[in-house]
């Protein structure tokens, strides 16, 4: 039984009968944030957007920079942005949470705003999200009941991968431009230059539980290094793809069993997302599903998703499809991303299509190093990691392809790797959305 | 054994501003390399490079050569 109530769609009255009203949240006074920060520190809650950064540190940093800016008479009132963008195409956990427990998220936003002294609060979701009516209705219910002291506004940035990055999100809320910002971080100088707390919607729903039941209660489940429960998106070669809630540290094979088990022998996992990494199947299913254990096993926890790839699929074809999409999702700001990602994607296509020479393979390996640590955001790093971990996890398959063979399709040439496969790759939206600004409507 | 030269400042590159004109490389070829697409590579490969006293002049030349102000030098606090 989960804590976040993802099994049912909760109206406000159902939410209140299940969790009770949010207790009064102590307001920030000057440089002292509300007492909830202390409970958050005790709880050990870490951010669920993918970075797993301790929540209380982020909140303190926003308050500190607000005080600092106030000394110089600069705009200083913090802003809260709940990140419900879920830019990872293979992830579904935030959508499931927003559809089932919107009030837990809104409670968390309200609690965060009071604790850090924010004067504006937003929930951001993809422009083409079908959750807009559900969340609008939930906000209407709260408005009618008069339970929030401030207005929470829904904002819908363009449905682009990097638009979900926290500096891009605060850039969009402040200036209407959905590109990542470098080098200012949102907690220092975010939306409209104001200190901005960007926190994933799942994190905020955990916040509302800590506010109700306290930090010690929160730690009762999960591993000490990342306490609590986590939503997991499970996809690929499992009987029932979907989202489950488990205590952190639950072994991977138990999570797979919750999804009806595997449908064929597994050759590897994509973990964390398209900016995450691949890991060979060998022994991974015994790994406890928590950020530190998964990292120690050589994989990436990221947005807590695992995608199982079976022996009937060619992982290099999947990498070619996804890397092409990732290259197209660049915000187009930094050279190594603008030129490097399409070059890498081209190389992977050559490999998947079994045209790759050894010299090209060497060049690919050099390019994968060349694009890292050189972008204004981590999009090139994530894409390079997606490819380099795949080359390592499926080194047997790489060797076969360099030899003009493939373990899956022995006769049929892979003529169009971009068109068939299993990992979800959204259709290009370039014709509809201007990456650098608001929509054209 | 000689001790390594102390770091006196840091060269910073803002990649979102950089246009890949390549003038920094021409002004300071020993300090800044260019990648295959014409974008600068700082020593160490990242967006920040520690500078010794001997490297500061070259870093200043590169910084002044940049037409879009993508390079900055930050003095180390002593």
């Amino acid at each position: 039984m989960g804590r976040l109530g993802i099994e049912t769609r909760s109206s406000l009255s159902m939410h209140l009968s299940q969790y009770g009203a949010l207790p009064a949240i102590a307001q920030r006074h000057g440089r002292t944030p509300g007492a909830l920060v202390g409970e958050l520190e005790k709880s050990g809650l870490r951010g669920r957007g993918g970075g797993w950064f301790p929540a209380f540190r982020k909140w303190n940093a926003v308050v500190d920079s607000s005080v600092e800016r106030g000394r110089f008479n600069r705009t200083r009132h913090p802003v809260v942005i709940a990140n419900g963008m879920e830019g990872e195409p293979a992830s579904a956990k935030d959508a499931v949470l927003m559809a089932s427990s919107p009030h837990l998220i809104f409670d968390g936003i309200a609690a965060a705003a009071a604790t850090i002294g924010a004067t504006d609060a937003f929930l951001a979701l993809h422009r083409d999200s079908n959750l807009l009516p559900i969340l609008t209705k939930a906000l209407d219910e709260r408005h009618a009941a008069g339970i929030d002291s401030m207005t929470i506004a829904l904002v819908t940035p363009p449905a682009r991968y990097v638009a979900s990055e926290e500096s891009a999100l605060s850039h969009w809320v402040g200036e209407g431009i959905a590109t990542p910002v470098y080098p200012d971080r949102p907690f220092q100088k975010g939306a409209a230059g104001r200190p901005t707390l960007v926190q994933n919607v799942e994190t905020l729903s955990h916040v509302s539980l800590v506010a109700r039941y306290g930090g010690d209660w929160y730690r009762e489940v999960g591993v000490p290094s990342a306490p609590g429960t986590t939503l997991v998106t499970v996809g690929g070669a499992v009987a029932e793809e979907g989202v489950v809630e488990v205590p952190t540290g639950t072994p991977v094979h138990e999570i797979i069993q919750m999804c009806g088990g595997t449908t064929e022998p597994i050759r590897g996992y994509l973990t964390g997302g398209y900016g995450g990494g691949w890991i060979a199947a060998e022994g991974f299913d015994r790994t406890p599903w928590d950020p530190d254990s998964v990292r120690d096993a050589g994989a990436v926890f990221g947005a807590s998703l695992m995608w199982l790839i079976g022996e009937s699929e060619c992982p290099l074809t999947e990498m070619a499809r996804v890397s092409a999409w990732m290259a197209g999702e660049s915000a187009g700001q930094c050279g190594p991303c603008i030129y490097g990602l399409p070059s890498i994607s081209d190389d992977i296509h050559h490999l998947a299509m079994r045209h790759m020479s050894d010299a090209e393979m060497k060049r690919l390996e050099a390019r994968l190093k060349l694009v890292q640590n050189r972008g204004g955001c981590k999009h090139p790093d994530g894409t390079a990691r997606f490819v380099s971990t795949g080359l390592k996890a499926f080194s047997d398959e790489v060797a076969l392809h360099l030899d003009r063979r493939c373990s899956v399709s022995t006769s049929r040439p892979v003529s169009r790797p971009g068109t068939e496969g299993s990992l979800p790759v959204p259709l290009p939206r370039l014709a509809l959305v201007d990456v650098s600004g608001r929509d054209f409507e | 054994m000689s001790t390594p030269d102390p770091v006196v400042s840091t060269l910073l590159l803002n990649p979102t501003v950089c246009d890949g004109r390549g003038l920094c490389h021409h002004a300071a070829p020993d300090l800044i390399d260019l990648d295959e697409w014409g974008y600068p590579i700082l020593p160490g490969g990242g967006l920040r490079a520690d500078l010794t006293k001997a490297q500061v002049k070259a870093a200043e030349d590169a910084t002044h050569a940049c037409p879009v102000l993508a390079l900055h030098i930050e003095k180390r606090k002593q």
Side-chain angles (χ1 to χ4, degrees):
Chain A
M1 186 58 205
R3 289 175 164 184
L4 299 176
I6 59 169
E7 299 83 8
T8 47
R9 292 201 165 186
S10 293
S11 64
L12 182 58
S13 59
M14 290 162 70
H15 166 75
L16 291 174
S17 68
Q18 188 179 350
Y19 295 100
L22 188 70
I25 302 293
Q27 299 272 339
R28 169 188 158 192
H29 279 291
R31 57 185 61 237
T32 314
L36 180 55
V37 163
E39 286 303 313
L40 278 187
E41 181 169 6
K42 212 188 284 177
S43 74
L45 176 63
R46 291 164 66 182
R48 296 318 204 247
W52 289 78
F53 189 76
F56 82 96
R57 288 226 179 97
K58 210 171 188 177
W59 294 32
N60 278 335
V62 171
V63 171
D64 288 349
S65 93
S66 163
V67 170
E68 181 69 14
R69 294 182 69 76
R71 284 175 50 213
F72 298 103
N73 282 327
R74 297 213 177 100
T75 48
R76 63 180 190 276
H77 297 298
V79 175
V80 174
I81 304 174
N83 190 347
M85 298 283 283
E86 194 153 59
E88 288 290 349
S91 178
K93 64 154 185 108
D94 291 339
V96 165
L97 180 68
M98 287 190 284
S100 55
S101 304
H103 293 289
L104 269 187
I105 299 165
F106 289 128
D107 283 352
I109 297 172
T115 304
I116 65 169
T119 50
D120 292 276
F122 302 91
L123 189 149
L125 71 165
H126 267 173
R127 178 161 305 168
D128 52 3
S129 170
N130 54 14
L131 297 170
L132 208 51
I134 295 174
L135 293 168
T136 307
K137 184 162 165 274
L139 276 177
D140 288 347
E141 284 179 308
R142 296 176 80 87
H143 189 69
I147 56 175
D148 290 323
S149 58
M150 69 188 301
T151 308
I152 301 170
L154 293 177
V155 289
T156 54
R160 295 295 301 263
Y161 190 77
V162 294
S164 328
E165 193 268 342
E166 63 174 8
S167 73
L169 208 48
S170 59
H171 199 195
W172 198 86
V173 168
E175 274 90 29
I177 301 171
T179 53
V181 176
Y182 181 89
D184 297 317
R185 301 312 304 156
F187 76 87
Q188 302 165 315
K189 202 176 157 196
R194 292 161 57 180
T196 302
L197 176 72
V198 181
Q199 201 92 75
N200 171 263
V201 288
E202 186 193 337
T203 315
L204 287 163
S205 63
H206 289 286
V207 163
S208 79
L209 298 180
V210 173
R212 283 182 168 86
Y213 312 124
D216 289 330
W217 170 86
Y218 189 78
R219 297 189 71 90
E220 282 172 11
V221 303
V223 295
S225 62
T229 60
T230 180
L231 298 175
V232 193
T233 309
V234 187
V238 289
E240 297 158 42
E241 295 185 316
V243 175
V244 293
E245 181 183 359
V246 296
T248 56
T250 304
V252 168
H253 65 84
E254 281 183 29
I255 296 171
I256 293 170
Q257 281 314 312
M258 291 169 79
C259 299
T262 56
T263 53
E264 60 170 312
I266 299 305
R267 61 160 87 195
Y269 301 76
L270 174 66
T271 64
Y274 291 174
W278 294 93
I279 184 116
E282 188 59 45
F284 185 69
D285 67 350
R286 292 188 295 276
T287 307
W289 190 250
D290 66 77
D292 296 347
S293 304
V294 167
R295 183 201 57 214
D296 293 346
V300 181
F301 201 78
S304 186
L305 83 88
M306 61 175 92
W307 186 277
L308 283 66
I309 183 160
E311 285 180 357
S312 69
E313 292 169 277
C314 172
L316 301 181
T317 304
E318 294 300 306
M319 286 159 63
R321 297 171 60 245
V322 171
S323 66
W325 183 79
M326 290 288 271
E329 288 296 296
S330 168
Q333 298 193 108
C334 308
C337 189
I338 298 171
Y339 296 99
L341 300 194
S343 305
I344 287 169
S345 167
D346 255 18
D347 290 342
I348 286 288
H349 273 84
H350 279 207
L351 183 62
M353 292 162 78
R354 295 170 261 155
H355 298 159
M356 190 84 148
S357 69
D358 290 343
E360 283 176 311
M361 192 66 200
K362 285 227 158 43
R363 188 182 64 183
L364 169 59
E365 281 159 9
R367 283 173 167 172
L368 288 169
K369 291 197 182 75
L370 191 58
V371 299
Q372 288 176 43
N373 295 318
R374 292 179 63 212
C377 75
K378 293 293 179 194
H379 184 58
D381 304 67
T383 309
R385 183 169 58 190
F386 176 86
V387 172
S388 58
T389 53
L391 296 178
K392 188 168 159 238
F394 307 114
S395 55
D396 294 355
E397 199 63 50
V398 171
L400 272 181
H401 279 69
L402 288 172
D403 197 29
R404 309 286 188 267
R405 288 181 293 154
C406 173
S407 71
V408 178
S409 71
T410 48
S411 55
R412 176 175 60 92
V414 186
S415 57
R416 297 284 302 279
T419 54
E420 47 193 67
S422 68
L423 278 166
V425 173
L427 290 170
R429 282 176 283 220
L430 290 171
L432 300 173
V433 176
D434 172 11
V435 65
S436 66
R438 294 183 191 277
D439 50 351
F440 296 130
E441 287 103 65
Chain B
M1 284 289 285
S2 62
T3 53
D5 286 343
V7 173
V8 294
S9 43
T10 309
L11 180 62
L12 306 171
L13 167 67
N14 186 332
T16 64
V17 173
C18 176
D19 260 353
R21 311 279 178 103
L23 299 183
C24 54
H25 168 67
H26 290 282
D30 295 332
L31 186 72
I32 296 178
D33 202 359
L34 295 182
D35 67 17
E36 59 177 297
W37 310 290
Y39 287 82
I41 303 176
L42 304 193
L47 298 173
R48 304 169 63 89
D50 288 339
L51 300 170
T52 62
K53 204 168 179 187
Q55 291 173 308
V56 168
K57 174 73 171 66
E60 283 172 356
D61 290 346
T63 304
H64 295 153
C66 180
V68 294
L69 308 183
L71 289 168
H72 289 273
I73 297 173
E74 197 177 77
K75 279 227 168 69
R76 271 289 164 96
K77 289 189 189 93
Q78 294 304 322

